[in-house]
Amino acid sequence: MINTITCKSCNTLTTVQSTVDFVNFACPNCGSLYDLKSANQTHLKKYTYKPLDIILPIGLKGIIDNKEYEIINVLVKFLGAFTYSKEYTLVSKDIQYIYLSECNGHWIQLKQVDDIELKKSGSLKIKYNDIYFDKFDYYSPSLMRAYGFFDFELSNFDNFVVEYINPPFILSTERINSETVTYLGQHIEKKEVKKIFQLETIPSKSGIGVVQPFPFHILDTIKIFLIAAILILTCFIFQGSKGNKEVLNNTISINEYANKEYLSPSFEVADIAVPIKINLFSDVSNSWAYAGVSVVNELTNEEEFAEQDIEFYSGYEDGYHWTEGSRSVNFHICGLKPGKYHLVISPSAENVVANTSDSSSIINLPPAVVTTENSNYTTAEKIEDSINKLYSGMHDTEQSISPDQKTLTIIAELESPSNWNFGISIVVFVVLIIVLFVYRRIFETRRWSDSSYSPYIE
């Protein structure tokens, strides 16, 4: 059966395919209300209010729970405090009803239930289907506009509503004229409404919906955090039980390696993201030493490089002894992946030159002329003797001068992962949980701000 009506005021044609026996019709275009039970469809009144937001059209069809429904009417109600709601009635071909309510862009899908009735004087908390609901509010909305076909009278509209909530669920009793009906509803997202009706745009969302769920499930979040904390603690205990492993402890001559690199023996890294601690010591005094340190992955040739200066100075000034710097430094190179590694050390120091075995630098002097008091030699021989003595003295002086001899001690240890990782993780988890609880309280306070039964003190 197809219901088609042409408005007598604006000649607008409105059609629905429902077989429901309708008693009133409100023109979606001009707002004229007609009595369909009268012989000539008497004009009853005209609604002048025009909503600013989008109204889903009469006759629009959508699929809900694999069944096709059609919008047959819309009621626009004023709830107070500049708040309006739009209530859509949808009916299927087998006369099954579903209701959609939209307020400030928040949607609720409702169905009629017959086994409970809520009253204004009822309890502040009720149980239905093993769910406890808290009393949210009661009010008498004003009808501002009607669209489409209705199976009840609208000319003398009288409406009273009582609401109980347990987000995302709502129990709502409505008295329309002399009939009382209770609905069980649940919040649905905008994207679901778009999907049902294949829409591009629907009213935008603002504020907190009456049964809009909190974006985070705190209990599940806590469970996830606890599981993560247990896993981190387990890894920490397992890896920490191995202790530190020394992979290098050696002292080298800086003079020997001033122009070349020292390569350590190879060592294995078995765990993931292991840090290596490197300690350097040099016997400097009022001078400095330097070391460039690379950790080389022998499989990939990737290397991590660090450089350190070792400086130590001391002295007396105004009768006081002072020192500056240190003969040792230590540092970490973190995140070594499993594999085979070795260290490459490039040392240098102040007043240190490389050792050399180049014989060409040695001056071959002529043999000295032995003289005695009784020997007689010429002036030329005396001059040659003096030159020989001079060369011999220069050679002795050169041999007596040697560069500073400095050493560098390198100690390297593979360390267990730091317990800071576990501690920081726990602190972050606790802070996040506290933030979630604070955010939820703010969220719920805003939800209940217009309720007569708010459990939150602002």
Side-chain angles (χ1 to χ4, degrees):
M1 177 180 177
I2 298 177
N3 288 282
T4 301
I5 292 181
T6 301
C7 178
K8 297 177 181 179
S9 299
C10 65
N11 293 323
T12 299
L13 182 68
T14 306
T15 301
V16 295
Q17 296 182 353
S18 174
T19 59
V20 175
D21 188 16
F22 298 116
V23 298
N24 276 177
F25 169 74
C27 177
N29 183 50
C30 68
S32 296
L33 180 65
Y34 297 93
D35 180 8
L36 300 182
K37 291 301 183 181
S38 62
N40 58 354
Q41 296 182 356
T42 304
H43 183 275
L44 300 175
K45 62 183 294 185
K46 185 174 183 178
Y47 297 101
T48 58
Y49 175 75
K50 295 182 179 180
L52 298 177
D53 289 335
I54 300 168
I55 299 294
L56 303 185
I58 303 302
L60 181 64
K61 295 179 181 179
I63 303 299
I64 300 177
D65 298 331
N66 298 319
K67 183 182 290 189
E68 185 180 72
Y69 288 84
E70 180 183 29
I71 297 176
I72 60 171
N73 65 57
V74 187
L75 292 176
V76 180
K77 299 178 181 179
F78 177 65
L79 309 182
F82 305 102
T83 304
Y84 295 83
S85 70
K86 304 175 191 68
E87 299 176 359
Y88 297 84
T89 301
L90 294 80
V91 65
S92 64
K93 292 181 179 180
D94 58 352
I95 319 298
Q96 299 294 315
Y97 286 86
I98 282 181
Y99 304 90
L100 288 176
S101 174
E102 181 265 314
C103 182
N104 294 330
H106 301 278
W107 292 82
I108 302 174
Q109 180 179 314
L110 305 104
K111 283 188 175 181
Q112 182 177 337
V113 292
D114 300 322
D115 53 348
I116 188 171
E117 181 178 346
L118 310 180
K119 299 180 180 179
K120 177 181 177 180
S121 57
S123 171
L124 295 179
K125 188 182 290 288
I126 62 171
K127 182 180 180 182
Y128 181 73
N129 285 351
D130 296 325
I131 300 175
Y132 285 94
F133 293 82
D134 295 307
K135 194 168 188 178
F136 184 76
D137 213 351
Y138 64 91
Y139 50 91
S140 296
S142 302
L143 180 60
M144 305 301 295
R145 181 72 184 261
Y147 300 77
F149 299 85
F150 297 86
D151 57 0
F152 56 90
E153 295 284 348
L154 288 178
S155 55
N156 296 308
F157 184 79
D158 179 29
N159 193 202
F160 179 78
V161 181
V162 180
E163 294 177 339
Y164 284 76
I165 68 171
N166 184 341
F169 302 104
I170 184 172
L171 273 175
S172 175
T173 286
E174 287 195 54
R175 189 188 72 234
I176 301 178
N177 301 329
S178 60
E179 184 180 0
T180 300
V181 182
T182 300
Y183 303 94
L184 175 63
Q186 182 175 355
H187 171 88
I188 61 172
E189 294 292 338
K190 287 175 55 177
K191 62 181 180 181
E192 291 297 324
V193 178
K194 285 185 176 182
K195 181 179 179 181
I196 290 171
F197 297 109
Q198 300 298 307
L199 298 173
E200 293 295 330
T201 58
I202 58 176
S204 58
K205 185 187 297 185
S206 64
I208 305 297
V210 173
V211 288
Q212 177 186 352
F214 183 64
F216 303 96
H217 196 293
I218 291 186
L219 183 58
D220 288 346
T221 304
I222 292 175
K223 290 179 180 178
I224 293 172
F225 283 174
L226 287 177
I227 292 172
I230 291 172
L231 290 175
I232 293 173
L233 179 60
T234 301
C235 292
F236 169 70
I237 293 174
F238 176 75
Q239 293 182 342
S241 61
K242 297 179 180 180
N244 296 349
K245 177 184 177 182
E246 187 174 271
V247 295
L248 178 65
N249 189 337
N250 194 17
T251 300
I252 63 175
S253 168
I254 297 179
N255 302 69
E256 181 181 353
Y257 289 95
N259 285 337
K260 59 182 179 178
E261 296 175 334
Y262 167 78
L263 272 64
S264 76
S266 298
F267 57 89
E268 292 281 349
V269 173
D271 297 322
I272 297 175
V274 172
I276 184 170
K277 181 181 180 181
I278 300 174
N279 295 275
L280 302 176
F281 173 84
S282 181
D283 51 349
V284 294
S285 179
N286 289 320
S287 62
W288 55 264
Y290 162 88
V293 181
S294 295
V295 183
V296 181
N297 187 315
E298 296 182 357
L299 178 62
T300 64
N301 287 325
E302 295 177 348
E303 68 176 66
E304 297 289 338
F305 177 76
E307 53 185 356
Q308 294 290 328
D309 290 317
I310 304 172
E311 302 180 41
F312 182 78
Y313 298 90
S314 64
Y316 286 89
E317 184 174 351
D318 297 330
Y320 292 96
H321 181 258
W322 59 268
T323 61
E324 181 179 350
S326 174
R327 291 187 173 93
S328 63
V329 295
N330 62 77
F331 58 97
H332 289 81
I333 295 177
C334 299
L336 299 187
K337 301 175 183 178
K340 194 172 183 179
Y341 293 82
H342 66 262
L343 296 177
V344 178
I345 316 294
S346 301
S348 65
E350 185 178 11
N351 297 328
V352 167
V353 296
N355 288 343
T356 178
S357 59
D358 188 359
S359 60
S360 63
S361 61
I362 300 175
I363 301 175
N364 294 318
L365 299 175
V369 178
V370 180
T371 61
T372 64
E373 293 181 357
N374 297 323
S375 298
N376 295 317
Y377 51 88
T378 65
T379 302
E381 290 174 337
K382 290 181 180 180
I383 294 174
E384 183 180 355
D385 182 58
S386 298
I387 293 174
N388 285 338
K389 290 180 180 180
L390 177 61
Y391 281 152
S392 177
M394 291 173 61
H395 179 264
D396 292 342
T397 302
E398 181 178 343
Q399 294 299 317
S400 66
I401 298 175
S402 64
D404 289 348
Q405 300 294 321
K406 291 187 174 66
T407 60
L408 179 68
T409 300
I410 311 111
I411 301 174
E413 290 182 321
L414 293 178
E415 293 190 329
S416 299
S418 172
N419 57 1
W420 277 100
N421 295 331
F422 176 71
I424 292 174
S425 300
I426 294 301
V427 170
V428 170
F429 291 165
V430 171
V431 170
L432 287 177
I433 293 297
I434 293 174
V435 169
L436 282 179
F437 273 105
V438 172
Y439 177 38
R440 187 177 71 170
R441 182 172 182 86
I442 295 172
F443 187 91
E444 293 298 330
T445 300
R446 291 179 61 192
R447 183 204 305 280
W448 288 83
S449 60
D450 295 326
S451 169
S452 303
Y453 302 96
S454 175
Y456 300 95
I457 301 175
E458 298 185 16

